[in-house]
């Protein structure tokens, strides 16, 4: 039998970890139809059942205040999943059960998975699972998604013990809901989710009211019922009256199911760690110290040794390929093409160990709960430019890839914040730029490569803040928005989950190397070996790219790299930033990283090398990121303005960097 199961839960409840535990590698990622929100779907088997698990966006409520909540609610109510797994954080039951109550109102078959049971035991907190199940009239399974505990029991309960009953409130509330249900039945003939519709109408849900299209008489009757309910609950506001009703029920459930000894009230380990890492004065310096340590490990002896080993393997493969083709009697141009492609793609792939190390550390910071603290720390700084700490979440994601970072701007409530964050996020150095920094830092700052690369990341943050201050005083005037963020407790990242996150990011990088960079390398080889008359040329300067590059190279002369090879490499970076390094291998006609490093040492000075690194950091992001900006903003005008703005900033800052370092170096 086949079942479609929706995985629903609050952010930071362990939903992604549970999804990975259940589906393993049998999952794929896409977007919801018509909405650029990530959609994860996985498949696993149990007994004779094939289960398709759909990981819905993390939400706090079934009230649609954000795009994520709209997506989750629409899927549950319109796609009609066969079953629901509602994952709740056992260390924060009161907040998590608020969503559970709303899911119960739908009357769908559901199992509640209480996560973080290992943490409850560590805090000597006893949760009576049988009592909680009885209170909610729903199967409840204790699990620890991080350790994989309780998975078999959860799946068994999902197949054999689900319950589709709705939750029963106090008598007064039920009477009120029955009165509204009469109105619902007058308009709606499909009686699925009747209780959900009734309680959503009670709390004045706009989408439900529009869907039912009540008459004026019915709306008047609804208002009368809402007034009666407010009087019953001694509340002036209907939203507060409904929320108070749910929380009163939740408090009763928790008081009868949870036993907290005095030791649980003591200061937690997370609080003690936060006293240092989120300190008013020490928090931000500690954040940069952590980043500095990560970069010193990644680009220090460990990362360099691993990169050198992989580079040697690529050189051996290139030499073997060249000798093999020569032995087969291949023509010179064919040998040149193959070795150029191997050199171009290999020049990027050789940095894979360092990129994986960086992704590993970022995954650990994310899974441990520290990334939320980073957003909290940056709130005070970002507030000065009219944004709040929530905008730092997309910016942090920008250190991995600009595309999902731009998509993440939808967590911001108003359009001004979203557009301003879209303009500033590309200044955060994505992983694709890393091979450029690593190459130039290795050539010109071999003993301090980690410091030089760390400086690029810090410069991106500084430039974003300075540009934000200017934009706030000119284009985006107005007051900043509010910032509410939940700080999850610190958790030790699981090895499996961290490795999976690291591999997902690394796989994307390798996919680009095998597709975009490979294609770009072949195209560049052709354009640097043929003229406009399609005649093969010996001097690359006479080629198609040579002529184009020389025509515009003068624009970059004030930045210190006014040669056509550098200009063409930067132009290829608009397709994919990783291709800047591979393009340099092609246009300089070298086959290995070692040969490219020798060429760069002759063509660039320390000052022009820094200028090139800065321009690579700040100029317009790749084509995929630009397309995402267009999709999220809905405006070609804004998209073109963002390209001009970012490239203009890159030119100005690179000119300043070149001028300063030309004087001091």
């Amino acid at each position: 039998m086949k079942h479609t199961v929706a995985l629903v839960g609050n952010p930071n409840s362990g939903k992604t970890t549970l999804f990975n535990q259940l589906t393993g590698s049998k999952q794929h990622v896409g977007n919801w139809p018509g909405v650029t929100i990530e959609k994860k779907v996985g498949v696993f088997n149990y007994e004779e059942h094939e289960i398709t698990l759909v990981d819905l966006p993390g939400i706090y409520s079934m009230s649609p205040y954000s795009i994520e909540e709209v997506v989750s609610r629409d899927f549950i109510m319109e796609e009609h999943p066969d079953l629901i797994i509602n994952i709740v954080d056992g260390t924060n039951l009161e907040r998590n059960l608020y969503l559970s109550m709303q899911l119960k109102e739908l009357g769908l078959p559901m199992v509640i998975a209480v996560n973080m049971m290992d943490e409850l035991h560590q805090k000597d907190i006893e949760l009576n699972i049988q009592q909680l199940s009885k209170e909610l009239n729903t199967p409840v399974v204790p699990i620890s998604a991080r350790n994989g505990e309780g998975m078999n029991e959860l799946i068994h309960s999902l197949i054999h013990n689900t319950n589709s009953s709705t939750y029963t409130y106090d008598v007064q509330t039920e009477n009120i809901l029955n009165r509204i249900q009469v109105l619902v039945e007058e308009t709606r003939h499909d009686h699925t989710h009747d209780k959900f519709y009734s309680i959503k109408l009670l709390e004045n849900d706009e989408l439900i009211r529009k869907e039912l299209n009540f008459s004026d008489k019915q709306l008047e009757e609804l208002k009368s019922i809402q007034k009666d309910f407010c009087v019953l609950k001694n509340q002036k506001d209907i939203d507060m009256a409904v929320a108070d009703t749910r929380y009163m029920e939740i408090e009763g459930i928790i008081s009868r199911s949870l036993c907290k000894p005095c030791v649980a009230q003591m200061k937690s380990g997370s609080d003690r760690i936060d006293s240092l890492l989120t300190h008013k004065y020490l928090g931000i310096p500690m954040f940069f110290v952590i980043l500095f340590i990560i970069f010193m490990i990644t680009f220090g002896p460990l990362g360099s040794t691993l990169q050198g080993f992989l580079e040697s393997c690529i050189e051996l493969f290139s030499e073997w390929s060249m000798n093999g083709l020569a032995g087969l009697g291949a023509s010179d141009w064919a040998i040149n093409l193959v070795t150029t492609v191997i050199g171009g793609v290999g020049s990027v792939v050789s940095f894979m160990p360092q990129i994986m190390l960086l992704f590993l550390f970022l995954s650990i910071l994310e899974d441990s709960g520290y990334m939320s603290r980073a957003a909290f720390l940056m709130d005070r700084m970002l507030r000065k430019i009219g944004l709040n700490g929530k905008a730092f979440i997309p910016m942090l994601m920008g250190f991995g890839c600009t595309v999902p970072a731009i998509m993440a701007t939808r967590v911001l409530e108003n359009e001004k914040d979203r557009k301003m964050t879209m303009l500033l996020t590309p200044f955060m150095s994505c992983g694709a730029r890393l091979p450029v920094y690593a190459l130039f830092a290795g050539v010109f700052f071999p003993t301090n490569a980690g410091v030089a690369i760390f400086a690029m990341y810090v410069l991106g943050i500084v430039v974003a803040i300075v540009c934000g201050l200017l934009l706030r005083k000119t284009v985006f005037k107005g007051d900043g928005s509010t910032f509410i963020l939940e700080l999850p407790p610190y958790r030790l990242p699981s090895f499996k989950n961290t490795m999976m996150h690291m591999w997902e990011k690394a796989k994307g990088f390798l996919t680009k190397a095998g597709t975009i960079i490979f294609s770009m390398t072949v195209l560049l080889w052709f354009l640097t070996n043929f003229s406009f008359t399609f005649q093969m040329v010996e001097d690359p300067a006479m080629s198609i790219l040579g002529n184009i590059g020389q025509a515009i190279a003068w624009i970059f002369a004030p930045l210190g790299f006014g040669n056509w090879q550098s200009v063409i490499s930067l132009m290829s970076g608009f397709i994919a930033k990783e291709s800047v390094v591979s393009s340099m291998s092609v246009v300089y006609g070298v086959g290995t990283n070692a040969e490219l490093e020798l060429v760069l040492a002759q063509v660039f000075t320390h000052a022009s090398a820094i200028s090139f690194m800065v321009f690579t950091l700040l100029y317009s992001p790749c084509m995929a990121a630009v397309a995402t900006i267009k999709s999220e903003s809905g405006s070609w005008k804004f998209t073109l303005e963002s390209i001009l703005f970012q490239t203009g900033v890159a030119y100005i800052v690179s000119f300043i960097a070149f001028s300063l370092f030309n004087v001091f170096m």
Side-chain angles (χ1 to χ4, degrees), residues 573-648:
F574 183 70
I575 307 298
K577 288 293 182 285
E578 299 96 331
S579 65
V580 172
V581 173
S582 60
S583 299
M584 282 192 155
S585 296
V586 176
V587 296
Y588 282 117
V590 296
T592 65
N593 256 22
E595 292 175 357
L596 180 59
E597 288 172 1
L598 289 174
V599 172
L600 294 180
Q602 297 171 1
V603 174
F604 286 84
T605 65
H606 282 77
S608 62
I610 290 170
S611 176
F612 190 87
M613 291 168 71
V614 171
F615 193 87
T616 303
L617 162 70
L618 300 175
Y619 83 111
S620 173
C622 67
M623 188 168 58
V626 170
T628 308
I629 292 173
K630 164 61 177 68
S631 174
E632 293 295 320
S633 67
S635 167
W636 274 115
K637 181 175 180 290
F638 176 79
T639 304
L640 294 173
E641 287 172 348
S642 71
I643 294 172
L644 293 173
F645 171 73
Q646 288 143 6
T647 305

Side-chain angles (χ1 to χ4, degrees), residues 19-161:
F19 179 81
N20 291 337
Q21 284 282 3
L22 292 175
T23 62
S25 59
K26 299 177 182 178
Q27 54 184 260
H28 66 269
V29 178
N31 284 333
W32 297 95
V35 183
T36 51
I37 289 181
E38 190 176 270
K39 173 186 183 180
K40 294 179 83 174
V41 178
V43 179
F44 64 96
N45 298 304
Y46 180 77
E47 296 176 350
E48 73 279 10
H49 303 275
E50 181 184 293
I51 300 171
T52 300
L53 188 62
V54 182
D55 184 13
L56 295 178
I59 59 173
Y60 291 105
S61 165
M62 289 291 285
S63 299
Y65 296 115
S66 68
I67 299 175
E68 286 83 355
E69 287 168 336
V70 170
V71 167
S72 295
R73 188 163 106 166
D74 285 351
F75 181 84
I76 292 171
M77 298 189 66
E78 296 176 11
E79 300 298 325
H80 306 294
D82 303 310
L83 306 160
I84 292 177
I85 297 177
N86 173 218
I87 182 170
V88 303
D89 180 354
T91 63
N92 203 337
L93 275 176
E94 184 174 11
R95 174 179 51 73
N96 280 247
L97 286 181
Y98 191 81
L99 175 61
S100 304
M101 298 288 282
Q102 295 181 74
L103 293 173
K104 282 293 296 179
E105 292 159 7
L106 287 165
L108 291 173
M110 183 170 76
V111 171
I112 294 177
V114 181
N115 196 20
M116 322 292 185
M117 289 300 294
D118 52 337
E119 294 187 24
L120 287 180
H121 295 151
Q122 289 173 7
K123 296 178 180 180
D124 292 333
I125 300 175
E126 296 178 13
L127 177 62
N128 189 329
I129 296 295
Q130 290 74 24
Q131 181 64 31
L132 183 61
S133 178
K134 180 181 176 182
E135 294 281 346
L136 294 169
N137 193 22
T138 301
V140 178
V141 181
I143 67 167
S144 176
R146 182 177 54 187
N147 302 327
E149 297 173 4
M151 296 298 108
N152 289 333
E153 293 82 354
L154 175 61
I155 300 171
H156 179 83
S157 185
L158 184 69
I159 297 299
H160 299 290
N161 301 321

Side-chain angles (χ1 to χ4, degrees), residues 239-461:
D239 289 337
M240 289 299 297
V242 175
D244 187 56
T245 300
R246 288 200 182 104
Y247 276 119
M248 288 290 288
E249 294 288 334
I250 291 170
E251 285 176 15
I253 292 169
I254 291 175
S255 66
R256 293 185 290 270
S257 306
L258 199 65
C259 175
K260 286 187 179 181
C262 294
V263 69
Q265 307 301 327
M266 294 172 62
K267 194 175 185 182
S268 70
S270 289
D271 293 331
R272 289 193 292 272
I273 298 172
D274 277 339
S275 64
L276 175 64
L277 294 185
T278 61
H279 189 273
K280 184 177 181 180
Y281 301 110
L282 298 177
I284 292 179
M286 286 296 295
F287 169 66
F288 284 105
V289 166
I290 290 170
L291 285 184
F292 181 74
I293 292 171
I294 288 173
F295 282 99
M296 291 306 293
I297 295 173
T298 302
F299 302 102
L302 176 61
S304 299
T305 301
L306 293 172
Q307 186 220 352
F309 173 75
L310 185 56
E311 196 173 288
S312 300
C313 293
I314 293 170
E315 288 177 8
L316 285 173
F317 179 69
S318 178
E319 186 178 342
W320 175 82
S321 300
M322 186 170 61
N323 293 334
L325 288 170
L328 293 172
S331 60
D332 290 342
W333 70 264
I335 295 174
N336 180 258
L337 171 61
V338 172
T339 53
T340 298
V341 169
I342 293 173
V345 176
S347 63
V348 177
V349 174
S350 65
F351 294 104
M352 195 66 197
Q354 293 169 316
I355 289 168
M356 290 189 74
L357 276 174
L358 182 61
F359 285 155
L360 171 65
F361 287 121
L362 291 177
S363 294
I364 290 172
L365 292 182
E366 184 179 342
D367 291 348
S368 66
Y370 182 70
M371 284 302 196
S372 297
R373 271 78 181 175
F376 168 76
L377 289 169
M378 298 304 290
D379 177 59
R380 194 185 317 158
M381 188 181 298
L382 290 174
R383 196 161 291 281
K384 296 181 185 299
I385 63 174
L387 294 173
N388 60 50
K390 196 178 288 186
F392 195 59
I393 296 172
M395 291 182 181
L396 279 174
M397 292 177 68
F399 287 129
C401 178
T402 306
V403 173
I406 296 296
M407 290 167 60
T409 57
R410 65 171 63 96
V411 303
L412 303 170
E413 284 78 10
N414 62 65
E415 186 179 4
K416 176 181 77 73
D417 286 357
R418 282 196 297 273
K419 286 192 171 181
M420 188 168 173
T421 307
M422 284 182 207
L423 286 175
L424 302 181
T425 296
F427 293 141
M428 303 298 108
S429 187
C430 68
R433 295 175 169 102
L434 199 52
V436 182
Y437 307 151
L439 175 65
F440 277 82
V443 174
F444 295 95
F445 311 100
T447 57
N448 295 294
V451 176
I453 296 170
F454 173 71
M456 289 295 105
Y457 280 76
V458 174
L459 178 63
I461 297 173

